[in-house]
Amino acid sequence: MLASVLAVSATAGEARPSLRDVPEIENPLFAVAVASEVADSCNHRLAPRTLKGLNQLYQIRSRANALGYSDSEIKAYIKSDQEKSRMRAKGERLLTQEGVKLDQPETFCAYGLAEIEKNSAIGVLLRAK
């Protein structure tokens, strides 16, 4: 039901894609989620760049608003248990593909440090301690 609510526009009955299907929303939100997970799992060597992450979240919301999504639609998407599970599974797939062992914190550290070095979308949200 949530997906159908997110897919229907309140203006003129136009259909809009779910926020998960809008790359300019999904991709940076995914980067924030992965960076947060990496920082939490490797908190002795990495820390989140909190202000940068918050700024990114505000930019995502602003862009979604500009695309016609209401704050309530955005909030429903972010708080959805279904979307949280989907995002977690997507993150676990990425991390596993990158050699992270989900039960070995040091592998999160190695991944996070490599992302920082690459200056990737995930890496810019992390800092080495």
Side-chain angles (χ1 to χ4, degrees), residues 90-109:
K90 182 178 172 180
E92 288 176 358
R93 278 191 308 275
L94 169 73
L95 293 169
T96 300
Q97 289 169 354
E98 295 294 324
V100 173
K101 306 285 187 240
L102 301 179
D103 60 343
Q104 297 176 15
E106 279 305 312
T107 62
F108 282 88
C109 298

Side-chain angles (χ1 to χ4, degrees), residues 27-36 38-39 46-57 59 111-128:
N27 295 343
L29 188 59
F30 180 67
V32 170
V34 172
S36 178
V38 169
L46 297 173
R49 295 185 68 196
T50 306
L51 292 178
K52 191 167 203 81
L54 287 173
N55 185 47
Q56 179 127 354
L57 292 173
Q59 288 176 357
Y111 172 76
L113 291 169
E115 292 299 303
I116 291 169
E117 183 68 27
K118 288 191 284 189
N119 203 33
S120 71
I122 293 167
V124 299
L125 297 168
L126 297 168
R127 67 175 175 81

